[in-house]
Amino acid sequence: MSSSAQIGVTGLAVMGRNLARNFARNGYPVALHNRTVERTRTLVEEFGHEGDFVPAETAKEFVEALERPRRLVIMVKAGDPTDAVIQEFAPLLERGDMIIDGGNAHFADTRRRERELREQGIHFVGAGISGGEEGALHGPSIMPGGSPESYESLGPMLEKIAAKAADGTPCVSHVGPDGAGHFVKMVHNGIEYADMQLIGEAYQLLRDVAGYSPAQIAEIFRTWNTGRLDSYLIEITAEVLSHVDAATGRPFVDIVQDRAEQKGTGRWTVQIALDLGVPVSGIAEAVFARSLSGHIDLRDASRGLAGPKAAPLGEAEAAAFADRVEQALYASKIVSYTQGFHEIAAGSAEYGWDIDLGAVSSLWRGGCIIRAAFLDRIRAAYDARRDLPSLLSDDTFAQEIAAAQDDWREVLIAAVRQGVPTPGFAAALAYYDALRAERLPAALTQGQRDYFGAHTYRRTDREGSFHTLWGGDRSEVSA
């Protein structure tokens, strides 16, 4: 078999198949391989007219079809399946070749794989890919990690198949070494969880407090999508809410069980944030909200618990309340991104990645699930000040939250009075208030820790660590 393919894809489920088609549509000869040969044949039969495909039935044939340096994309399930594919193909590769993992791998696994393959002279690229099956085919957001050398060879190809932002910039760039790409993709998904939760809370408030129907709420979201909340998720929310179930004639949202599932990247975002000591409370509440929705027995047992009586709003009051919800949603969204970028910065410092946060926001402007108009402004904020400690430290965002905060608080008051759960909105406001507070109750917490565990504390008036000898004269000693 001649070495005619510029890139190869193994693992031809929906994402892998569409990614292979994307490469072929952009003029790259693509080698194809799948554990089940029939899937390879089907792809060529159905889409062979889209480009130059080189099907291979065995791992050896697949590798022999690739030109040097070989670029081999793995699109299989994360974890053991990915390791199994690497173990199958690595012995067939040579120094300078590369393996690209386009799945939702845990960044720690990517770091391990990159280290092990580097010792064999093989480049390993952990590439986060966002946009789902449509993005894979028409242009995803791509977040590749790995060596700079690997990006020199692979980058131009990724830039051609990636989504393009409104200004024409490809939504891909080299994120950083080893696991940096998959780390950024993980946090992207965490922000996605928070974004979806906040949108869900806005919907619930508009329905249960303002009294709007799903169709009316769809129109509200369409209006919001013409302004500062312009985003893919707001756009599709309007589509979902306006959809009517053909079988029953009821709003589609009313015939779907209220149990939200998850694949794990949101949990990883929270778990790693805990390890790094980074507060991502909004993301965490989104993860917990999905978990709670699935505890059906617990929810059934609790439906009879006391709560407030509904107090429907009049037409003018409802319209004013909808405006306040828009403010609360926007302010909470800023906080979610603030927390996500804080985690990326902390991960970058911990693992020595030197990630450019402005470049990350640029990657998310097209193709990915959280693509939104205000990412241009986030990029501008970090470009203007790379050491920006928080998005809330940017003058423009700070001014917008200042303008929104009264409505934000009023929405939460209304939610509490009406008994509508808004953990995302509440966590975002609590985070904001904690950051701006002159003093936090952590002083009391540390005093308690010193009392029961001699954990020491620091004073406000002099340097050093201290411990109080609790009981007796309660004298203080230096620790």
Side-chain angles (χ1 to χ4, degrees):
M1 180 176 288
S2 63
S3 303
S4 58
Q6 291 179 272
I7 196 161
V9 179
T10 181
L12 301 177
V14 176
M15 283 291 290
R17 179 187 64 193
N18 283 3
L19 197 65
R21 292 172 60 197
N22 192 349
F23 278 116
R25 286 175 165 190
N26 279 282
Y28 297 109
V30 183
L32 303 174
H33 175 267
N34 195 77
R35 184 172 56 85
T36 304
V37 177
E38 185 59 34
R39 186 167 280 176
T40 305
R41 293 173 182 161
T42 300
L43 191 157
V44 175
E45 289 172 1
E46 294 183 2
F47 305 108
H49 63 281
E50 294 184 338
D52 187 1
F53 294 108
V54 184
E57 294 191 4
T58 68
K60 185 172 183 294
E61 289 178 355
F62 181 62
V63 170
E64 288 176 347
L66 296 170
E67 66 176 29
R68 296 289 314 278
R70 300 181 181 94
R71 308 173 189 91
L72 189 160
V73 181
I74 298 174
M75 296 298 293
V76 301
K77 289 183 179 179
D80 292 341
T82 298
D83 282 323
V85 172
I86 292 171
Q87 290 164 12
E88 179 181 11
F89 284 97
L92 302 174
L93 301 178
E94 300 175 72
R95 296 185 69 84
D97 291 345
M98 69 185 71
I99 296 176
I100 304 104
D101 177 12
N104 269 337
H106 194 290
F107 81 96
D109 287 337
T110 302
R111 299 190 76 211
R112 168 181 58 80
R113 292 164 182 153
E114 193 277 337
R115 182 176 61 253
E116 293 171 351
L117 289 170
R118 190 189 334 135
E119 293 173 356
Q120 303 175 43
I122 298 171
H123 296 284
F124 186 75
V125 177
I129 299 176
S130 179
E133 58 186 85
E134 285 299 307
L137 181 60
H138 299 293
S141 170
I142 310 176
M143 296 150 261
S147 67
E149 295 81 9
S150 66
Y151 193 78
E152 288 178 11
S153 172
L154 180 66
M157 301 178 74
L158 297 183
E159 289 164 12
K160 195 165 184 180
I161 71 160
K164 307 301 185 292
D167 61 6
T169 304
C171 294
V172 57
S173 67
H174 182 237
V175 175
D178 54 72
H182 275 143
F183 188 96
V184 167
K185 175 56 163 57
M186 174 191 74
V187 176
H188 163 283
N189 285 21
I191 294 173
E192 176 188 314
Y193 275 52
D195 227 344
M196 294 173 72
Q197 175 64 24
L198 294 171
I199 290 171
E201 291 177 17
Y203 153 74
Q204 197 77 18
L205 287 163
L206 291 173
R207 190 159 194 189
D208 291 354
V209 177
Y212 289 119
S213 69
Q216 290 173 314
I217 299 171
E219 291 306 312
I220 291 171
F221 273 91
R222 288 195 176 101
T223 299
W224 290 352
N225 200 47
T226 63
R228 59 185 181 177
L229 284 171
D230 175 13
S231 67
Y232 173 71
L233 283 172
I234 294 290
E235 176 187 343
I236 68 170
T237 297
E239 292 299 310
V240 173
L241 288 173
S242 63
H243 181 54
V244 175
D245 176 55
T248 64
R250 297 171 58 197
F252 171 77
V253 73
D254 286 347
I255 59 93
V256 177
Q257 290 187 8
D258 58 343
R259 300 170 61 181
E261 299 177 359
Q262 52 187 309
K263 291 187 175 180
T265 45
R267 286 197 302 269
W268 291 350
T269 305
V270 177
Q271 289 165 349
I272 299 305
L274 289 170
D275 292 340
L276 293 171
V278 175
V280 292
S281 50
I283 298 172
E285 288 295 348
V287 173
F288 289 138
R290 292 197 190 189
S291 298
L292 188 148
S293 74
H295 286 272
I296 301 302
D297 291 344
L298 179 62
R299 293 174 61 198
D300 286 345
S302 305
R303 292 189 196 280
L305 295 175
K309 292 182 179 180
L313 300 179
E315 184 176 343
E317 291 176 312
F321 181 73
D323 290 340
R324 289 195 289 272
V325 171
E326 190 270 348
Q327 291 271 39
L329 176 56
Y330 183 70
S332 299
K333 183 183 179 79
I334 292 173
V335 169
S336 294
Y337 279 76
T338 296
Q339 293 179 353
F341 278 102
H342 184 191
E343 181 167 359
I344 293 173
S348 178
E350 176 70 18
Y351 300 109
W353 289 329
D354 193 29
I355 296 175
D356 183 336
L357 299 182
V360 168
S361 61
S362 186
L363 298 182
W364 295 344
R365 293 183 300 153
C368 70
I369 304 302
I370 65 171
R371 59 186 183 266
F374 88 142
L375 281 160
D376 276 318
R377 293 172 47 224
I378 293 178
R379 181 189 61 171
Y382 281 114
D383 285 350
R385 185 180 170 190
R386 187 163 180 179
D387 64 345
L388 189 72
S390 162
L391 285 177
L392 301 179
S393 302
D394 174 75
D395 288 343
T396 301
F397 286 119
Q399 290 167 7
E400 287 184 322
I401 284 199
Q405 68 154 333
D406 287 344
D407 288 330
W408 196 5
R409 297 179 194 281
E410 288 297 324
V411 165
L412 282 167
I413 290 169
V416 172
R417 284 178 175 165
Q418 299 276 31
V420 178
T422 52
F425 281 8
L429 182 57
Y431 176 87
Y432 173 76
D433 281 340
L435 287 182
R436 67 175 194 83
E438 187 68 30
R439 292 275 291 171
L440 293 172
L444 176 58
T445 301
Q446 196 62 18
Q448 293 167 330
R449 294 182 74 242
D450 188 62
Y451 191 107
F452 65 67
H455 291 292
T456 76
Y457 53 87
R458 294 184 181 276
R459 295 179 59 94
T460 60
D461 56 354
R462 56 182 183 270
E463 295 296 319
S465 295
F466 300 89
H467 167 56
T468 291
L469 301 175
W470 298 97
D473 62 1
R474 297 188 178 178
S475 57
E476 181 181 84
V477 296
S478 296

